[in-house]
Amino acid sequence: MYEDILRKLSQSSFRNRFHLSDQDKQYVRQKGIETIRKHAQDFIQKRIAPEVILNDGKQTPMRGHPVFVAQHATATCCRGCIEKWHYFSKGYLLTEKEQEYLIGLIMLWIDRQMLEEKKQS
């Protein structure tokens, strides 16, 4: 389901420059993947899903949490990027199914970043 969008995102020089830092990876290992998923759910629900977002386009920092990095890499960082890449229009509350799609994409990207680390070891 995610392969097409991940392939398209990988062709974007902006999206392709995002990678988890060693500190981000350590955070994922310390907290565990389920906690990271809960953080992703919380960030999407509170910062992305609402009908109106006053600071849309500026609500997701570029770093400071693995989910933030993943959001920029997967174009799930703001409703403008979501509209452009995932075709969910602005101006309505994202459905639970749409939120789960975004969270799943974020988590898949994080999983792949963590797997790359294991392959390099």
Side-chain angles (χ1 to χ4, degrees), residues 3 23 34 40-41 52 89-90 121:
E3 292 309 316
Q23 185 177 2
E34 284 308 311
Q41 288 170 324
V52 176
S89 300
K90 293 181 182 183
S121 298

Side-chain angles (χ1 to χ4, degrees), residues 34-71:
E34 284 308 311
T35 298
I36 300 302
R37 176 176 271 284
K38 287 177 186 172
H39 293 172
Q41 288 170 324
D42 187 56
F43 295 154
I44 292 296
Q45 183 181 47
K46 291 179 180 170
R47 297 173 181 234
I48 301 297
E51 180 177 347
V52 176
I53 302 167
L54 297 178
N55 62 339
D56 193 34
K58 296 181 176 115
Q59 73 268 41
T60 305
M62 297 286 243
R63 59 187 159 288
H65 194 286
V67 172
F68 296 155
V69 177
Q71 283 183 269

Side-chain angles (χ1 to χ4, degrees), residues 3-118:
E3 292 309 316
D4 285 344
I5 189 62
L6 287 172
R7 184 179 40 74
K8 289 175 187 172
L9 289 163
S10 73
Q11 295 170 10
S12 164
S13 59
F14 177 75
R15 303 288 165 200
N16 203 24
R17 74 178 192 197
F18 290 97
H19 300 280
L20 292 181
S21 68
D22 290 341
Q23 185 177 2
D24 291 329
K25 290 175 183 177
Q26 181 63 29
Y27 186 82
V28 172
R29 286 191 294 274
Q30 285 176 339
K31 296 294 182 181
I33 205 72
E34 284 308 311
T35 298
I36 300 302
R37 176 176 271 284
K38 287 177 186 172
H39 293 172
Q41 288 170 324
D42 187 56
F43 295 154
I44 292 296
Q45 183 181 47
K46 291 179 180 170
R47 297 173 181 234
I48 301 297
E51 180 177 347
V52 176
I53 302 167
L54 297 178
N55 62 339
D56 193 34
K58 296 181 176 115
Q59 73 268 41
T60 305
M62 297 286 243
R63 59 187 159 288
H65 194 286
V67 172
F68 296 155
V69 177
Q71 283 183 269
H72 288 288
T74 59
T76 58
C77 47
C78 69
R79 290 299 284 269
C81 291
I82 290 168
E83 184 173 53
K84 175 182 175 181
W85 289 90
H86 305 285
Y87 311 110
F88 301 161
S89 300
K90 293 181 182 183
Y92 73 96
L93 176 66
L94 290 178
T95 67
E96 193 170 308
K97 185 176 179 180
E98 290 166 334
Q99 291 178 55
E100 279 303 314
Y101 164 83
L102 298 175
I103 294 161
L105 181 59
I106 290 165
M107 295 309 299
L108 177 60
W109 187 88
I110 290 172
D111 286 344
R112 288 184 176 185
Q113 287 284 300
M114 298 301 287
L115 258 177
E116 281 182 23
E117 177 187 50
K118 288 181 182 179

